[in-house]
Amino acid sequence: MDRTERFYKIELLLRSRGCVSFAALRNELDVSPATLKRDLQYLRDRLAAPIVYDAYSNGYRFAAASSTGTGTARHELPGLWFSENEIHALLTMHQLLAGLDDDGVLSRHLQPMMDKLQGMLGADAAQARELMRRVKVIGTARRRVPSRWFELLGSALVQRRRVWLRYFKRSDRSESLREVSPQRLVNYRATWYLDAWCHASDALRRFALDAVRDAKLLETKAKNVPVRELEADLDAGYGIYGGGDAKVKWATLVFNAEAAQWVANEEWHPRQKSRQLGDGRYELQVPYSDATELAMDILRHGDSVTVTGDTALVALIAQRLQRAAARYA
């Protein structure tokens, strides 16, 4: 490991074990006595680490926080500092992220940091690897995104630059050319979307990354849209194509007592309203603009849910049920 990693490792060992012998430090760091002495001296002189030698315990520790001898002096190295538990959490998050990561785009860039974190854990790295093996993310019906588009759009988002897109519209099976200002990447139900300001339509639009046929990074500076405006325009209603507040309607769903045990713990929308009914049923109200996606999710619950007070949504569900019945007749 390099010198910076050794510094963090020394801090981690002293903080977690309290007092560590010179031999134990050498064994953990795998360095010569002279190198370890230089590291300890550098930490004391240049980084103001309150490391002292405890003759009684024959080891190194952090000095007491006060003259009373109670507690330990608080010290952190410059830059990011992670405790042992935080390192385990970061490694686990990396494993979770891998389940959303087409072609390893994000993991490829994060892996060097992950390797350093594991190196800082030393003997506990085996425990971290075991923990990562015990976490599994299973993505169903995932629409894969070519890594070149994900990286290009992610780069444009960070650099705040516009992008030229050739985009496939599934609604009418046509292609369109767009110049957009990327605002946000969204992962919804194992599928990646780009929220962007479309300069052709002069409005916010949401694009599925798997429908991008070609993309080029432009030199033009991107138009910036405040996050609150993004949320109000694109996240107001149910599903990935939520629409703005002006288009939003509210659906009232009532689940029977058996389904209520599970649905009561689900979040269908951040602005949902719900209440438990006296007979064990569960009433859920969700905002929506495009009823298509909401109708599909309602149909998945079958006879355990009924829609009240929304004739258009009830008619759409009935229409879809008739189509399904006709296909299997």
Side-chain angles (χ1 to χ4, degrees):
M1 63 180 76
D2 61 29
R3 189 177 69 163
T4 302
E5 286 182 87
R6 294 200 306 271
F7 288 167
Y8 279 101
K9 183 63 178 177
I10 290 170
E11 289 251 338
L12 181 63
L13 289 168
L14 297 184
R15 200 171 300 283
S16 61
R17 300 185 187 180
C19 188
V20 188
S21 70
F22 190 85
L25 285 172
R26 275 196 61 203
N27 183 58
E28 292 285 350
L29 300 171
D30 192 26
V31 294
S32 68
T35 298
L36 178 54
K37 288 177 182 178
R38 283 196 300 269
D39 287 350
L40 291 170
Q41 197 64 38
Y42 191 95
L43 283 165
R44 289 192 190 106
D45 297 343
R46 302 292 296 274
L47 300 178
I51 299 172
V52 297
Y53 176 71
D54 188 328
Y56 179 80
S57 302
N58 188 28
Y60 293 87
R61 61 173 175 78
F62 285 123
S66 66
S67 57
T68 59
T70 58
T72 300
R74 185 65 181 168
H75 176 261
E76 293 182 0
L77 289 175
L80 292 175
W81 166 253
F82 300 111
S83 69
E84 194 167 350
N85 287 338
E86 289 169 337
I87 292 175
H88 281 126
L90 282 168
L91 292 171
T92 305
M93 285 172 58
H94 180 256
Q95 183 73 356
L96 290 170
L97 184 63
L100 306 174
D101 194 9
D102 289 318
D103 294 341
V105 175
L106 299 176
S107 298
R108 186 165 63 251
H109 296 292
L110 292 174
Q111 193 58 49
M113 186 182 76
M114 295 300 111
D115 293 339
K116 285 183 179 292
L117 289 172
Q118 286 194 356
M120 288 166 60
L121 283 171
D124 291 322
Q127 180 185 348
R129 285 192 292 270
E130 177 64 18
L131 177 62
M132 291 169 67
R133 282 196 291 266
R134 299 289 179 177
V135 177
K136 186 176 181 63
V137 177
I138 300 175
T140 58
R142 181 170 60 169
R143 303 197 322 242
R144 300 189 68 84
V145 178
S147 60
R148 63 186 185 278
W149 302 147
F150 192 97
E151 292 191 85
L152 186 146
L153 294 171
S155 178
L157 187 64
V158 173
Q159 297 179 47
R160 311 304 300 129
R161 289 164 61 183
R162 295 189 189 185
V163 174
W164 173 86
L165 293 179
R166 181 159 59 87
Y167 188 75
F168 178 70
K169 293 174 60 179
R170 291 188 171 92
S171 57
D172 58 6
R173 302 185 65 79
S174 65
E175 288 188 352
S176 63
L177 304 179
R178 315 280 185 105
E179 184 174 319
V180 303
S181 290
Q183 305 295 324
R184 185 173 61 172
L185 281 168
V186 179
N187 188 277
Y188 178 75
R189 294 186 176 178
T191 300
W192 284 102
Y193 298 86
L194 174 72
D195 290 347
W197 182 269
C198 178
H199 294 276
S201 56
D202 202 30
L204 286 168
R205 293 289 184 267
R206 182 165 280 167
F207 301 94
L209 262 63
D210 64 294
V212 172
R213 294 293 181 262
D214 196 8
K216 294 176 183 177
L217 190 61
L218 304 176
E219 293 298 328
T220 315
K221 186 177 179 180
K223 172 185 173 69
N224 184 61
V225 179
V227 173
R228 285 188 178 181
E229 188 177 333
L230 278 174
E231 293 173 346
D233 198 87
L234 298 177
D235 300 345
Y238 183 84
I240 192 62
Y241 298 105
D245 280 316
K247 313 170 189 175
V248 168
K249 303 176 184 177
W250 283 82
T252 301
L253 318 177
V254 179
F255 295 85
N256 64 27
E258 183 177 356
Q261 301 174 75
W262 289 274
V263 180
N265 294 320
E266 296 176 357
E267 182 182 75
W268 287 48
H269 191 274
R271 291 168 56 193
Q272 71 184 35
K273 303 172 186 177
S274 62
R275 63 180 179 135
Q276 201 78 41
L277 303 180
D279 56 2
R281 293 181 301 159
Y282 179 72
E283 181 185 274
L284 176 67
Q285 292 182 309
V286 292
Y288 75 95
S289 54
D290 185 347
T292 305
E293 190 174 2
L294 179 58
M296 290 171 61
D297 284 343
I298 292 171
L299 285 168
R300 292 190 184 101
H301 286 272
D303 296 335
S304 65
V305 60
T306 56
V307 180
T308 63
D310 192 327
T311 54
L313 183 57
V314 170
L316 177 61
I317 293 171
Q319 184 184 59
R320 287 184 169 271
L321 283 171
Q322 289 175 357
R323 288 179 182 174
R327 281 199 301 268
Y328 294 104

